[in-house]
Amino acid sequence: MKGIDGLELSPRKNEYLKYLLEKGGMAHTTDISAHFDLDPSTVTKAINEMSSTGLIEHMPYRGVCLTPRGREYATFLVRRHRVLGLMLSHYGLTPREACSEASKLESYVSKDVVDKICKSLGHPSMGICGRITHDKCCCCPDDE
């Protein structure tokens, strides 16, 4: 993910991307607004803003889909959440607490820091919230 540090988007927009990934890469704006309990016009405005990033493609009346770059970015967002959740669970937080706290922190933690945390945890394959992927997302040149 050249040129991306994980801090480009707001926490809400990050959540939209993770939701799209969860839905197979595509969803209708109405589905997004219902999932997040937001007015459709609020979601449409955010989607229009995000279209310029190259992470999504908005097809009016058809929905929103992740671009290949968007899928890669959303995969990183999920990975970041799971790495942070796992790290927090090592400090005595229950899985539920760790997941909740990771959600609060994740949009403020860069890709570089996530990669370093991941390395310090031994590149785990499973977090408290699910599988942790490392393909194309983990840039840890010291491991080569």
Side-chain angles (χ1 to χ4, degrees):
M1 288 191 329
K2 282 196 178 222
I4 292 178
D5 67 8
L7 306 174
E8 291 79 12
L9 301 175
S10 70
R12 175 65 70 179
K13 290 175 182 172
N14 285 337
E15 291 302 313
Y16 292 169
L17 292 178
K18 290 193 305 186
Y19 177 75
L20 286 169
L21 184 66
E22 177 186 312
K23 293 297 178 186
M26 185 171 187
H28 293 280
T29 308
T30 53
D31 296 334
I32 298 168
S33 64
H35 178 79
F36 291 102
D37 196 25
L38 295 169
D39 189 82
S41 64
T42 301
V43 173
T44 299
K45 181 180 180 213
I47 294 300
N48 287 334
E49 291 170 3
M50 291 171 63
S51 291
S52 67
T53 65
L55 299 173
I56 62 165
E57 184 179 342
H58 182 215
M59 299 163 292
Y61 307 105
R62 293 183 51 213
V64 180
C65 67
L66 291 170
T67 64
R69 183 172 179 247
R71 183 175 292 279
E72 186 177 345
Y73 192 79
T75 300
F76 161 71
L77 296 175
V78 170
R79 177 177 170 266
R80 175 170 63 184
H81 174 83
R82 292 177 179 174
V83 167
L84 291 173
L86 181 61
M87 178 197 69
L88 291 170
S89 73
H90 287 235
Y91 292 98
L93 279 72
T94 66
R96 179 176 284 195
E97 291 169 332
C99 182
S100 176
E101 291 301 315
S103 294
K104 295 173 191 172
L105 296 170
E106 62 194 25
S107 289
Y108 307 102
V109 180
S110 72
K111 182 182 180 312
D112 183 53
V113 170
V114 171
D115 287 343
K116 289 176 180 176
I117 294 169
C118 185
K119 181 179 179 183
S120 75
L121 293 172
H123 301 292
S125 59
M126 192 59 125
I128 58 167
C129 302
R131 189 171 161 270
I132 297 173
T133 60
H134 299 284
D135 57 310
K136 294 185 183 177
C137 291
C138 192
C139 301
C140 299
D142 293 344
D143 290 351
E144 295 176 19

